[in-house]
Amino acid sequence: MIRIGLTGGIGSGKSTVATMLAERGAVIIDADQISRDLVEPGGEALAALVTEFGPRILQENGSLSRGELAALAFSEPQATARLNAIMHPLIREESARRLREAPQAPAVVYDMPLLVETGQQDLVDLVVVADVPEEVQLDRAVRLRGLDPVDVRRRMEVQASREVRLAAADVVIDNSGDLAQTQAQVSRLWDEIVGPDS
């Protein structure tokens, strides 16, 4: 079973590529879902976040107020670093466990937006980058996801640059065309790494 690390910047269409791979039989391990699980009440990260950022990040029912945490954690680089110091090791540990315990499948895909930034390439056999030009990232994130352009630019600034991601890639999926073009590239990738009959 091959382990694929799938990454890409905001608005790159990474989720579309993940869905196409899942349709071919890949098991998907979603880093964003792992992050959400870790901050659930009783989750491994929640107590550490409260210790670091204070009880105001909790709602009345004891669950995390994501907006409050974001306001505190992204207010300055040092606060973001404190958040990352708590979350990234836990996400890496849980991701490694899920990769080890993944059910048998032709491939397991670790869907991780910050794969390169957090140095997790060693968890996978192959790094696949969903890539579009930066102006396309911005347009899609604003137009399709309804995000604020200023927020999108800020997120892009803290993510690895396009050049750094591409340098880390074993395979690049050019996602700037239509769905059929992306589908053709994903099919080619699947046939090369798994085989056309899988």
Side-chain angles (χ1 to χ4, degrees):
M1 180 167 66
I2 188 164
R3 297 168 302 171
I4 300 168
L6 174 62
T7 192
I10 186 171
S12 66
K14 179 177 59 62
S15 298
T16 299
V17 174
T19 299
M20 291 176 177
L21 289 167
E23 288 167 353
R24 285 164 174 75
V27 170
I28 307 295
I29 295 173
D30 183 345
D32 286 339
Q33 184 59 54
I34 289 171
S35 178
R36 288 190 290 272
D37 293 347
L38 287 168
V39 298
E40 285 293 310
E44 208 171 338
L46 188 59
L49 290 172
V50 171
T51 299
E52 187 64 45
F53 293 100
R56 64 187 273 198
I57 67 168
L58 293 177
Q59 300 183 72
E60 284 183 19
N61 65 3
S63 64
L64 178 68
S65 169
R66 295 179 187 282
E68 192 65 42
L69 176 62
L72 292 169
F74 297 115
S75 61
E76 57 179 8
Q78 296 91 336
T80 305
R82 284 161 39 215
L83 172 68
N84 291 343
I86 292 169
M87 295 301 298
H88 288 173
L90 293 173
I91 292 169
R92 181 186 176 89
E93 184 182 317
E94 179 60 17
S95 301
R97 186 188 70 76
R98 292 189 190 189
L99 282 164
R100 281 194 311 272
E101 297 176 5
Q104 272 306 311
V108 58
V109 175
Y110 181 32
D111 181 350
M112 174 52 156
L114 301 178
L115 184 78
V116 175
E117 293 86 334
T118 57
Q120 295 188 64
Q121 300 98 309
D122 63 318
L123 293 180
V124 299
D125 305 309
L126 188 76
V127 174
V128 175
V129 172
D131 179 63
V132 297
E134 290 179 356
E135 60 272 18
V136 176
Q137 282 184 259
L138 180 63
D139 174 66
R140 287 182 179 172
V142 172
R143 187 169 44 86
L144 302 178
R145 293 171 57 181
L147 298 175
D148 176 79
V150 175
D151 181 45
V152 174
R153 286 198 184 281
R154 193 168 57 239
R155 291 190 200 193
M156 289 170 68
E157 285 168 9
V158 301
Q159 292 182 340
S161 69
R162 185 182 184 201
E163 292 72 25
V164 168
R165 259 195 309 274
L166 290 175
D170 296 306
V171 176
V172 176
I173 302 288
D174 177 359
N175 216 2
S176 55
D178 60 25
L179 278 176
Q181 291 171 307
T182 300
Q183 190 80 256
Q185 293 174 80
V186 171
S187 292
R188 194 160 52 246
L189 168 66
W190 188 260
D191 290 352
E192 285 173 5
I193 62 174
V194 174
D197 301 323
S198 298

